[in-house]
Amino acid sequence: PQDSEKAKTFVHAFLKRSMPKMKDEAIQDMLTRKAVVLEHYHKKQTKQKRKKTKGFTAKQRRELRLFEIEPEQQRYAIFLPLHELWKQYIRDLCHGLKPDTQPHLIQGKLLKADLHGAIVTVTKSKCPSYVGITGIILQEFKHIFKIITKEDKLKVVPKLNNVFSLELDGFVSYIYGSKFLLRASERSAKKFKLKGTIDL
């Protein structure tokens, strides 16, 4: 009995502290009904908006000349190590280019592969002056390849109306530029139809 009295006193004091605006009669009424609802207000937490880092616009990139290769760096020998890295990358991607490997499997992987560092040759073109250009791909854009030749000349070759060939470990693959009008990042997610085509 003594403990129950202490409990009542404690509860009454607790309710008095928790709800100071309430009268004693109201508190007593709540106790007799043996149902106590304590009000608790959650503080609304304001979510901090994450600021997205804005990159350069296309105009700013052109003004800063971010993608331009300096004339003194336009030398074929500088980029030969890049070509060696690309060859190793393709070998790893295709699990080794063996003679018994099915060509369409390698072709499918090459279509989605990164071509920076590959040696390509323009084999067919609607513009005869492009035919025979051979070099290492330094940059790939949506509509063009930038190729450095053995003569240390930087050539800008459009993909449209051109057929390119690349050779690695005896495997020759042909790229129809007209079907290849994509950025390198977009190409990796695209599904290509491995069907022959007769147009450039």
Side-chain angles (χ1 to χ4, degrees):
Q2 191 175 0
D3 290 339
S4 63
E5 287 299 321
K6 283 183 179 179
K8 283 182 183 179
T9 308
F10 170 76
V11 171
H12 188 82
F14 175 76
L15 292 173
K16 188 73 176 169
R17 279 199 312 275
S18 300
M19 297 179 285
K21 293 181 181 179
M22 244 184 170
K23 294 182 180 179
D24 290 343
E25 294 82 9
I27 292 173
Q28 194 61 39
D29 185 50
M30 289 176 71
L31 287 172
T32 52
R33 286 189 279 117
K34 297 180 181 179
V36 180
V37 179
L38 300 177
E39 294 180 2
H40 179 70
Y41 295 99
H42 286 284
K43 289 183 179 179
K44 290 184 178 179
Q45 295 180 350
T46 54
K47 290 184 179 179
Q48 293 181 349
K49 292 183 179 179
R50 292 181 181 178
K51 292 182 178 179
K52 292 182 179 178
T53 54
K54 291 183 178 179
F56 292 116
T57 63
K59 185 180 178 182
Q60 288 172 327
R61 286 196 292 267
R62 284 194 299 271
E63 288 173 352
L64 293 170
R65 308 174 94 183
L66 292 179
F67 296 119
E68 289 191 20
I69 300 167
E70 298 297 328
E72 61 271 13
Q73 295 176 342
Q74 294 177 13
R75 286 185 295 156
Y76 186 82
I78 291 177
F79 298 99
L80 280 173
L82 175 65
H83 175 61
E84 293 300 319
L85 285 172
W86 180 83
K87 287 199 292 188
Q88 190 58 49
Y89 155 68
I90 293 299
R91 288 180 188 128
D92 293 342
L93 183 69
C94 300
H95 308 293
L97 293 171
K98 299 172 184 177
D100 58 344
T101 308
Q102 294 181 357
H104 72 273
L105 294 176
I106 298 174
Q107 183 72 28
K109 289 184 178 180
L110 282 175
L111 286 171
K112 296 187 176 187
D114 191 338
L115 296 178
H116 293 91
I119 292 180
V120 295
T121 303
V122 181
T123 54
K124 291 181 183 178
S125 177
K126 284 190 176 180
C127 179
S129 61
Y130 288 126
V131 177
I133 293 176
T134 303
I136 300 172
I137 294 178
L138 299 188
Q139 292 174 315
E140 179 188 356
F141 297 94
K142 186 174 182 178
H143 297 285
I144 63 165
F145 286 125
K146 282 190 178 181
I147 298 171
I148 186 79
T149 66
K150 288 183 179 179
E151 294 78 27
D152 296 337
K153 291 183 179 179
L154 187 67
K155 301 282 187 179
V156 178
V157 183
K159 294 179 181 179
L160 190 67
N161 300 328
N162 285 326
V163 179
F164 304 86
S165 68
L166 57 91
E167 187 269 335
L168 180 63
D169 296 344
F171 180 85
V172 181
S173 178
Y174 292 94
I175 296 169
Y176 286 81
S178 302
K179 310 293 183 186
F180 219 63
L181 299 176
L182 293 163
R183 293 181 181 88
S185 57
E186 295 171 353
R187 217 167 9 89
S188 61
K190 182 176 171 60
K191 290 183 178 179
F192 288 93
K193 293 179 181 178
L194 296 178
K195 291 183 180 178
T197 180
I198 57 171
D199 64 337
L200 290 176

